[in-house]
């Protein structure tokens, strides 16, 4: 991203340096349960076919509008959950300027917490990289501690 002068709330001499989000692997791992749950109903016809050989009552089950409605609602709620995961990933970020770090934490669609601290007050910066995969891909945890 190119450096640009920030708006007045950050300060008249503050210059934007960089915006940092969590690693994309974190987003992919949080999205994986939604993908699995979305594909789960596709296995339902195979289960019904198998059960129809064992229990003859399942042989008469065909396309039912109630089942189609339930499947549609299932996928809509999964889409909302997956979109919420994307929104939280995309809007959670650190904005680094020449004078401060702004931490934006998105809790849901309409709930956000924004906090900032001056770089002059930073006392300790700690990085933690756990495991082989994290070392190879280059992600970990960054903790910044400030005074007062």
């Amino acid at each position: 991203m190119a450096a640009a002068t920030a708006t007045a709330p950050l300060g008249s001499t503050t210059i934007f340096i960089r915006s940092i989000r969590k690693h994309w692997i974190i987003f992919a791992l949080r999205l994986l349960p939604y993908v699995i749950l979305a594909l789960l109903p596709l296995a339902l016809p195979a289960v019904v076919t198998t059960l129809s050989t064992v229990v003859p009552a399942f042989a008469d089950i065909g396309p039912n509008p109630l089942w189609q409605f339930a499947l549609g609602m299932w996928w809509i709620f999964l889409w909302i959950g997956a979109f919420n995961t994307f929104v939280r990933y995309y809007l959670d970020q650190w904005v680094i300027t020449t004078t401060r770090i702004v931490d934006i934490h998105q809790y849901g669609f309409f709930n956000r917490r924004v906090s900032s601290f001056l770089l002059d007050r930073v006392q300790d910066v700690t990085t933690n990289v756990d495991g082989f995969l994290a070392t190879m891909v280059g992600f970990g945890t960054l903790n910044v501690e400030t005074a007062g």
Side-chain angles (χ1 to χ4, degrees):
M1 295 184 163
T5 304
T7 58
L10 290 177
S12 60
T13 60
T14 300
I15 297 173
F16 172 82
I17 296 176
R18 188 171 186 170
S19 175
I20 299 173
R21 290 187 178 85
K22 293 180 182 177
H23 201 277
W24 64 268
I25 288 180
I26 301 298
F27 170 64
L29 290 175
R30 289 184 180 169
L31 200 61
L32 186 63
Y34 295 105
V35 172
I36 292 170
L37 288 173
L39 296 176
L40 193 63
L42 299 178
L44 195 59
V47 171
V48 169
T49 304
T50 305
L51 286 176
S52 66
T53 60
V54 177
V55 180
F58 282 104
D60 295 335
I61 295 178
N64 185 345
L66 184 61
W67 283 109
Q68 291 174 348
F69 176 75
L71 181 63
M73 293 302 294
W74 174 262
W75 279 335
I76 285 175
F77 282 117
L78 284 176
W79 175 252
I80 291 170
F83 186 69
N84 185 31
T85 301
F86 169 74
V87 166
R88 290 184 62 190
Y89 165 77
Y90 189 75
L91 295 180
D92 274 3
Q93 59 183 330
W94 275 18
V95 178
I96 301 173
T97 68
T98 54
T99 58
R100 67 178 64 218
I101 295 176
V102 181
D103 178 23
I104 303 170
H105 189 78
Q106 189 77 23
Y107 290 104
F109 288 123
F110 305 108
N111 190 5
R112 175 182 357 197
R113 182 193 55 151
V114 178
S115 58
S116 68
F117 53 88
L118 297 172
L119 292 176
D120 297 342
R121 299 202 176 213
V122 171
Q123 284 187 333
D124 184 33
V125 178
T126 306
T127 60
N128 188 13
V129 178
D130 291 327
F132 177 74
L133 181 64
T135 303
M136 297 309 292
V137 178
F139 71 91
T141 303
L142 176 69
N143 293 318
V144 179
E145 295 181 16
T146 62

